[in-house]
Amino acid sequence: MTLLPMSHWPLTPEDVTRPAYRSVAQGIVAAIGAGSLRPGDRLPAHRDLAWQLGISVQTVSRAYEELIRADMVSGEVGRGTFVKSGPRDTVEIPWHRTSASRAPLDLSLMTPVHLPQIADAWRDALQRIAAHPPHETMFALRPGETLARYGAAASAWLARCGLIVQPARTLVTNGVTPAMFVALMTVARHGDVIACEAATSHTLKPAARQLGLRLQGIAQDARGMLPEALVEAAAGSGGQMKALYLLPSGAGPYAHVIDRERRAELARAASAAGLFILECDPLGPLAPRRPPPVASFAPERSFYFTGLTKCLSPGLRFGILAMPDHLAERTVNRHLSVSWMATPIIAEIAVDWMESGLADDLLQAHRKELAARNRQAQRALGPESAGFAYGLHRWLPLPEGLGERAFQRQALRNGVAVATGANFAVTDRRPAIRLCLGGLGRGELEQALGILAALLPMPGHPPG
């Protein structure tokens, strides 16, 4: 086995390269392969390793989650994370490769399109801010200062998403994932149940594990989750089901946009069952003329969170959490405990883009490019490929008899990395893979889609 150069343990800050979570995971894989880490060894706690390497706890959590999905380690609530396997001849992580191997065409990571306008937008905004640096940006320490300066902009952005919320009911965060953690911490305690779709956000699963929460997949039809199934599941939970988690606007694994009527029905069902609604909407206003948020039908029990990372620029870690009036104080306190406050300079750049019109220009450019890429994917993969015009990914159910891991390995041998449906699964469902459309250039994307199409069996022919 050819090992990565970084095969020692423990890791050091010098081992961390960008993206940080990936280099940490690769370092642990290499240490396992070299025997520096052995089966049964306990990895450092998230906070300890983050401090040791000078990175964020969230980065360590993401690295550990990648290793759990690759079956290299196991995470046990209340005990820690343990090495699960010894040296292997092959490591089934799409992005794990030796320095001599060629990088695969990566469709596994949810990466926004790298528009050429993005670099110009960052440069222009930074020049404007540098010319007149706001005092609040340089010396902000109290979280209330960020809300006072950026709350109105956050509220205005929510209006673009179809949700009218006063600034006092908003919380500015460092992206969608921190907002999700805060919402979960506000409505649920260790051992509680969160209802979700059969396949859900890959970040919800590790978040629930970290918080000691249980996920329960709810039955659905072609229009989305069934309201009556939600009410029945809540009634059967013995009072332990506390919230409903939804990705109704195309960002979920199935890339499905729930219609207005079903959104209203789900809001009524959650209200009848006494559940809070956690609505995750990372794409924000990317899709024009979409139905209003589920939160708009039951604002008194809804947490709605969105951000700018997926719809404007990957580096713009600016999230917005809308919360019920009666839970505002508790939500703010939860945010204080995990993040303290949003990073002012990032918030300043986000507001600059909104006020200068750059945000609208980038939204329009993303819409045009994503529409073209989804047409491209539809042509290559046919009607089985599920998605919508402005989505960042497609969901491809596999033919009967063709397993996810087998197809993933076959695709990787042919130079294409994909994500298996198991990464998102809460309950049993038809085997599928998720294909992200944003990380490659148009030509490379065409090549990758062609390779995958060639690997799928022709109608009437068995897989293999």
Side-chain angles (χ1 to χ4, degrees):
M1 175 179 175
T2 303
L3 293 176
L4 291 170
M6 177 175 47
S7 58
H8 57 269
W9 186 259
L11 302 179
T12 67
E14 289 72 30
D15 296 320
V16 179
T17 59
R18 298 187 66 185
Y21 82 91
R22 185 177 297 181
S23 66
V24 171
Q26 286 178 320
I28 294 172
V29 168
I32 293 172
S36 303
L37 281 172
R38 299 181 178 278
D41 283 354
R42 181 176 179 174
L43 297 180
H46 295 64
R47 291 188 181 277
D48 292 343
L49 187 58
W51 180 85
Q52 174 185 323
L53 300 179
I55 57 179
S56 70
V57 175
Q58 183 180 342
T59 298
V60 174
S61 296
R62 188 172 179 186
Y64 281 10
E65 179 62 23
E66 293 288 341
L67 295 170
I68 290 171
R69 286 206 296 265
D71 203 31
M72 299 294 291
V73 304
S74 63
E76 302 177 24
V77 176
R79 294 191 64 230
T81 305
F82 297 84
V83 175
K84 191 174 180 180
S85 58
R88 297 181 175 189
D89 291 331
T90 58
V91 179
E92 295 169 3
I93 304 178
W95 38 258
H96 177 77
R97 57 183 183 271
T98 66
S99 57
S101 65
R102 180 184 175 187
L105 298 169
D106 196 346
L107 304 183
S108 67
L109 296 178
M110 187 71 87
T111 306
V113 178
H114 294 175
L115 296 172
Q117 302 97 308
I118 292 177
D120 294 335
W122 277 91
R123 184 186 61 250
D124 294 346
L126 288 169
Q127 288 176 344
R128 280 192 292 270
I129 294 169
H132 303 284
H135 182 275
E136 296 90 338
T137 299
M138 295 183 291
F139 299 105
L141 179 62
R142 299 180 183 278
E145 295 171 352
T146 60
L147 180 59
R149 183 166 179 81
Y150 308 117
S155 184
W157 189 261
L158 290 176
R160 298 183 189 213
C161 301
L163 192 65
I164 305 302
V165 177
Q166 294 299 317
R169 277 186 54 212
T170 65
L171 189 60
V172 177
T173 69
N174 287 322
V176 170
T177 302
M180 176 190 70
F181 259 96
V182 169
L184 286 169
M185 291 169 63
T186 303
V187 303
R189 297 180 178 179
H190 191 282
D192 285 341
V193 176
I194 307 297
C196 62
E197 292 155 303
T200 189
S201 165
H202 75 283
T203 59
L204 176 62
K205 294 175 66 177
R209 187 161 49 245
Q210 291 289 331
L211 297 173
L213 305 175
R214 292 174 291 154
L215 301 180
Q216 182 171 341
I218 306 299
Q220 57 195 63
D221 60 14
R223 294 174 56 209
M225 184 183 293
L226 292 168
E228 58 272 23
L230 174 64
V231 173
E232 182 179 352
S237 73
Q240 291 188 302
M241 185 175 288
K242 301 300 182 183
L244 164 65
Y245 181 97
L246 288 172
L247 285 150
S249 299
Y254 298 129
H256 179 60
V257 179
I258 299 177
D259 62 61
R260 179 191 179 101
E261 183 180 359
R262 179 58 60 88
R263 292 177 186 228
E265 291 170 350
L266 286 170
R268 288 195 292 270
S271 298
L275 303 178
F276 289 104
I277 299 170
L278 308 184
E279 182 173 4
C280 183
D281 188 15
L283 301 184
L286 194 55
R289 300 179 301 279
R290 61 180 198 159
V294 178
S296 66
F297 296 102
E300 74 286 351
R301 62 178 58 252
S302 295
F303 292 79
Y304 171 93
F305 33 103
T306 187
L308 307 186
T309 301
K310 293 292 192 292
C311 62
L312 295 184
S313 172
L316 201 60
R317 304 295 302 177
F318 182 86
I320 307 168
L321 172 62
M323 51 200 169
D325 279 330
H326 68 286
L327 289 177
E329 183 177 356
R330 184 194 301 180
T331 306
V332 169
N333 286 335
R334 298 298 186 273
H335 185 244
L336 286 171
S337 71
V338 295
S339 297
W340 186 250
M341 62 187 292
T343 305
I345 186 61
I346 294 296
E348 195 70 35
I349 294 168
V351 172
D352 177 275
W353 285 18
M354 295 177 196
E355 294 178 346
S356 67
L358 280 170
D360 289 319
D361 293 342
L362 287 173
L363 273 177
Q364 192 58 36
H366 276 294
R367 288 168 181 162
K368 182 178 179 180
E369 181 64 23
L370 286 172
R373 288 174 179 244
N374 277 279
R375 289 193 298 268
Q376 192 176 358
Q378 189 76 12
R379 287 193 302 268
L381 302 173
E384 278 287 285
S385 167
F388 75 107
Y390 306 100
L392 279 173
H393 72 283
R394 310 289 292 189
W395 183 256
L396 181 63
L398 295 176
E400 186 177 352
L402 184 56
E404 294 176 350
R405 295 301 292 271
F407 186 84
Q408 183 188 52
R409 289 193 293 267
Q410 191 177 15
L412 190 58
R413 284 195 295 268
N414 285 271
V416 181
V418 300
T420 63
N423 293 335
F424 317 97
V426 177
T427 61
D428 291 337
R429 77 281 171 277
R430 178 179 171 182
I433 56 172
R434 190 192 71 174
L435 309 172
C436 299
L437 307 180
L440 302 176
R442 199 85 76 83
E444 288 183 320
L445 178 61
E446 187 73 31
Q447 180 185 354
L449 292 171
I451 291 171
L452 295 180
L455 294 177
L456 294 169
M458 298 292 290
H461 294 73

